[in-house]
Amino acid sequence: MLVTKVRALSLTAVAMLAFAANSVLCRLALQQEAIDAASFTVIRLLSGALALALLLGARGIPPARAGNWRSAFALFAYAAAFSFAYVSLPTGIGALLLFAAVQATMILTGLVRGERLTMSQLVGLLLAFGGFVHLLSPGLSAPPLGGALLMVGAGIAWGVYSLRGRGTRDPLAATAGNFLRTVPMAIGLAILGVGSVNIQSSGVLYAVLSGALASGSGYVVWYAALRGLSATGAATVQLSVPVIAALGGVLLLGEVVTMRLVLASVAILGGVAIVLRGR
């Protein structure tokens, strides 16, 4: 029993590091101008599709038979908006906006479908909303509005993707199939951005690491970890991702953690934690 718990905790830690690494790798590549946002998106999706197809092929399952086009479009929309948002957003703020938008999308969808909030959950939701407003309110340390809106859009797309994936019998196969279906969309994006292509070897490396390891392999590890986590535990542990991403931005990119980010993080992550615990 102890070995099983340790394994689940270890896999969870690796998965959270992988998810946070997506933000760090994308911001690192774009801050250094080692690659343009469109090319980063294309290479990330292509390398993720290849890595997952190889993993699925080892199981003898054709990835083309898994997934669906609507989920693939949501995945593509997330990846594209995510990359373009990080052209201007600091790592920690981007990760926090993404997380807040994902959770808001899933919580609001539940309310529309008839779920009801307890008083403590309502307080938590208002707290998180207040933190979100504080983060985006005008001021010297406010994030660029355009980048912020793009990241919120990325979070909504990822929330939709997550909702569509609920109850999937084989999440690895579905993820591989969806990644594969984003390939023609990625090629279309590459054609549209052909006039502003900027690709250096380091940028390609960051994009491949984001797609094949942080995204593709990260999802595989996460699905393995879920077997040892409760639903509430799985939801709550993801609160750590924006924090890890912010630390990565400080250590690897020299970013400064502002008081605005700290207060917004406490309010948003604390509020979401209250709602999740109540569910």
Side-chain angles (χ1 to χ4, degrees):
M1 185 67 175
L2 178 60
V3 174
T4 302
K5 288 185 177 180
V6 171
R7 180 176 181 275
L9 290 173
S10 300
L11 290 172
T12 300
V14 171
M16 296 305 101
L17 287 171
F19 294 157
N22 273 318
S23 292
V24 176
L25 288 166
C26 185
R27 180 58 181 159
L28 186 62
L30 296 173
Q31 185 191 61
Q32 295 180 354
E33 298 184 353
I35 195 170
D36 61 282
S39 297
F40 184 93
T41 304
V42 172
I43 295 173
R44 179 188 177 189
L45 289 173
L46 290 176
S47 58
L50 178 60
L52 287 166
L54 291 174
L55 288 171
L56 207 60
R59 292 171 47 187
I61 302 174
R65 295 184 180 179
N68 60 81
W69 286 103
R70 290 184 179 180
S71 293
F73 179 77
L75 176 61
F76 171 77
Y78 146 74
F82 179 91
S83 298
F84 282 94
Y86 266 130
V87 171
S88 59
L89 287 181
T91 310
I93 289 178
L96 185 61
L97 286 171
L98 177 72
F99 175 84
V102 170
Q103 293 300 323
T105 300
M106 299 183 76
I107 291 170
L108 292 176
T109 299
L111 293 177
V112 170
R113 292 176 176 175
E115 292 184 15
R116 293 292 178 264
L117 296 178
T118 63
M119 183 57 67
S120 64
Q121 287 178 302
L122 181 59
V123 170
L125 192 61
L126 292 175
L127 178 62
F129 181 74
F132 185 79
V133 171
H134 174 66
L135 181 64
L136 297 182
S137 60
L140 292 177
S141 58
L145 183 60
L149 292 177
L150 278 170
M151 191 59 83
V152 169
I156 293 173
W158 186 254
V160 171
Y161 181 79
S162 300
L163 288 167
R164 289 187 57 81
R166 278 182 171 176
T168 301
R169 293 182 179 181
D170 191 340
L172 173 57
T175 303
N178 290 330
F179 259 88
L180 189 63
R181 282 174 170 78
T182 65
V183 171
M185 304 177 202
I187 293 173
L189 179 63
I191 294 172
L192 289 175
V194 70
S196 57
V197 171
N198 168 40
I199 300 178
Q200 300 176 22
S201 57
S202 59
V204 173
L205 176 61
Y206 295 143
V208 170
L209 290 174
S210 176
L213 292 180
S215 296
S217 299
Y219 297 145
V220 175
V221 174
W222 177 234
Y223 294 139
L226 286 175
R227 298 171 185 170
L229 298 173
S230 65
T232 302
T236 305
V237 74
Q238 294 179 67
L239 295 170
S240 65
V241 173
V243 178
I244 297 171
L247 290 175
V250 171
L251 295 175
L252 299 176
L253 298 164
E255 295 177 350
V256 178
V257 177
T258 64
M259 185 55 65
R260 179 193 291 260
L261 176 59
V262 171
L263 293 176
S265 297
V266 171
I268 293 173
L269 299 180
V272 171
I274 292 172
V275 176
L276 292 176
R277 296 298 295 181
R279 298 176 79 182

